[in-house]
Amino acid sequence: MENAGIKHTKIFESTKIMIGGFVMLIIAMGIGRFSYTSILPLMQSQAHLSVTESGYLAGSNNLGYLIAAFCAGFIAWGTRRAYHLKIQLVLCIISTGLMGIASSFIWWMILRFLTGISSGLIFVLSSSLVLDALLSDKRQKWIGIFYGGVGTGIALTGLLTPILSHFSWRGTWIGLLVIGIVLLAPVWTFIRDDKTKPKAPNTDSPTSSAENESIFGWLLVTYGLEGLGYIVSATFLVAMVKQMPHMSSFADYSWIIVGIAAVPSTVLWSWWTSKAGYIKPLITAFILQAFGVIMPVWLPNIIGVTLGSILFGGTFMGISMLAIAAARMARPSSGNRAIALMTGFYGIGQILGPIGAGIVLEVAHSYSLSLILATLVLIIAVTILITGAVNSNKRGLLRNY
């Protein structure tokens, strides 16, 4: 009975940590990072933000995210992850709200950069905190639910932006600050380090063999191209739909659909991974995402935008989860550095994507060309991944993937 009570208490504690992590992802990713996508059309029309400036603001946020996420993989946080998480959550919420107070483009650049740093640290540290708690209780199947916080955050900000927009673009940013505080307050005490460490992986197992590192280079390049390809749609989807004939009123809903599709996607991709390994689902996710990015260009109507939003939302978090998990398996002796390198390549793509797309938009005066180029990047990425998988399979190194 005593052991059962201890087990029940541990499960209850890890559940609270997971709920706290879920809310942290809503704040860091939904509010801190991706709310810019739904607010962008307001800033373009009311604050006269140009498409080139739009790209630079997105690039500044992604640069901050890259620096934070990359460095976080090489820092020994010890038992102070929760302490640093709380600091970064407060900074993320404040820097987001200050966007509605600042009037200078330079200040917007600085604030988006600072928000990127906070959201990057929150994503890495909350992932570490929650995964440790869940793995120590052998609750791996709950990991997909935790990452569903990203999609929930996107859907939430997509729903709130049209309501908050009645107070102008400034009121929308400030309103998100208030929403962030309301979300954070109930789970503040849930954010704490789990004293139990998860069971160390068996270094003698086949999946821990150094030979499995052969696929890592292919994954690294592929994931970098994913960052470059997906971020164009993630930045400009709402603004593009706003400019479509008879589609302006549907623009905000397109981003809500992305978020709703992303919520269950991590659970579904996790389930398929348990049946088929990482590589086949990853290849499938890339192909579906390429269709999702090009769909609004191919069918510039409500059907095309809806299908594109579903395919995009249903794949972008799945790709991140699958690619990072496969990379960690490929380099078991240096998992944190593998994740940091993957995040670094991904982040570089995320910086170059919006800036390049903004320049293309300025010249071509059309979002279509940017999305076509993004689709081509994703096609190249899946081609590289398939090539790497075939080469590794020929050498008998893909059996555990």
Side-chain angles (χ1 to χ4, degrees):
M1 288 294 290
E2 186 178 347
N3 288 338
I6 294 172
K7 183 178 180 181
H8 179 76
T9 301
K10 283 190 65 184
I11 290 175
F12 180 67
E13 289 300 316
S14 65
T15 299
K16 289 202 298 184
I17 292 172
M18 188 199 70
I19 293 171
F22 185 87
V23 174
M24 284 189 275
L25 290 187
I26 291 176
I27 293 170
M29 309 302 285
I31 293 176
R33 287 208 74 203
F34 292 119
S35 61
Y36 175 69
T37 302
S38 53
I39 301 175
L40 176 57
L42 291 174
M43 295 189 71
Q44 289 177 332
S45 61
Q46 297 175 12
H48 309 294
L49 191 71
S50 72
V51 289
T52 303
E53 289 172 334
S54 303
Y56 277 113
L57 283 182
S60 177
N61 181 258
N62 292 328
L63 177 61
Y65 185 87
L66 163 65
I67 292 171
F70 186 78
C71 292
F74 293 90
I75 296 173
W77 299 96
T79 58
R80 294 178 63 81
R81 290 174 299 182
Y83 171 78
H84 290 288
L85 270 169
K86 289 179 177 179
I87 292 175
Q88 295 306 321
L89 284 161
V90 172
L91 292 176
C92 182
I93 292 170
I94 291 174
S95 59
T96 298
L98 286 176
M99 283 291 293
I101 297 174
S103 297
S104 163
F105 177 73
I106 296 298
W107 273 111
W108 291 338
M109 286 281 288
I110 293 171
L111 288 170
R112 291 310 291 159
F113 177 76
L114 293 176
T115 306
I117 289 178
S118 294
S119 58
L121 287 173
I122 293 166
F123 184 83
V124 172
L125 291 177
S126 64
S127 295
S128 173
L129 194 73
V130 173
L131 292 182
D132 277 4
L134 293 178
L135 291 174
S136 69
D137 289 343
K138 298 179 180 178
R139 302 174 75 190
Q140 292 91 330
K141 292 181 179 179
W142 289 67
I143 292 173
I145 297 175
F146 159 63
Y147 282 115
V150 178
T152 304
I154 291 173
L156 181 64
T157 54
L159 284 166
L160 291 173
T161 297
I163 299 170
L164 296 173
S165 64
H166 292 293
F167 303 99
S168 81
W169 67 271
R170 291 186 184 276
T172 305
W173 284 113
I174 296 170
L176 290 177
L177 177 148
V178 175
I179 298 298
I181 294 172
V182 170
L183 288 170
L184 183 59
V187 300
W188 185 259
T189 57
F190 292 4
I191 305 170
R192 55 188 179 188
D193 286 281
D194 185 29
K195 303 304 179 185
T196 343
K197 292 185 183 289
K199 185 179 178 182
N202 179 9
T203 54
D204 297 324
S205 69
T207 57
S208 297
S209 168
E211 291 182 318
N212 286 338
E213 193 174 340
S214 67
I215 192 73
F216 180 76
W218 299 98
L219 286 168
L220 197 62
V221 175
T222 299
Y223 197 49
L225 291 173
E226 159 67 4
L228 179 62
Y230 106 95
I231 198 63
V232 175
S233 187
T235 302
F236 295 111
L237 175 63
V238 177
M240 175 185 178
V241 179
K242 281 276 187 189
Q243 293 189 0
M244 288 182 179
H246 314 297
M247 288 288 291
S248 178
S249 60
F250 189 73
D252 292 318
Y253 294 106
S254 66
W255 194 238
I256 295 170
I257 293 169
V258 169
I260 292 172
V263 173
S265 68
T266 48
V267 177
L268 295 174
W269 289 114
S270 292
W271 174 81
W272 192 17
T273 299
S274 68
K275 307 290 183 183
Y278 293 108
I279 300 301
K280 288 180 181 178
L282 192 55
I283 290 171
T284 304
F286 266 105
I287 294 170
L288 291 175
Q289 187 175 95
F291 276 109
V293 172
I294 199 63
M295 196 66 73
V297 178
W298 186 32
L299 291 174
N301 53 40
I302 194 168
I303 296 174
V305 172
T306 301
L307 286 175
S309 298
I310 292 171
L311 290 173
F312 179 75
T315 54
F316 82 97
M317 272 309 298
I319 288 173
S320 290
M321 184 178 67
L322 294 170
I324 287 176
R328 184 162 189 154
M329 181 188 287
R331 300 185 71 177
S333 60
S334 56
N336 286 341
R337 291 192 177 186
I339 293 172
L341 286 170
M342 291 284 284
T343 304
F345 271 64
Y346 187 68
I348 292 169
Q350 287 185 110
I351 295 166
L352 297 177
I355 295 174
I359 294 171
V360 170
L361 284 166
E362 198 72 54
V363 174
H365 304 290
S366 170
Y367 288 98
S368 298
L369 181 58
S370 294
L371 290 180
I372 290 170
L373 292 173
T375 304
L376 289 175
V377 168
L378 293 172
I379 291 171
I380 293 170
V382 75
T383 303
I384 289 172
L385 181 58
I386 291 171
T387 303
V390 170
N391 286 345
S392 297
N393 196 43
K394 285 180 179 177
R395 297 168 60 190
L397 302 175
L398 207 63
R399 61 187 181 277
N400 298 309
Y401 290 82

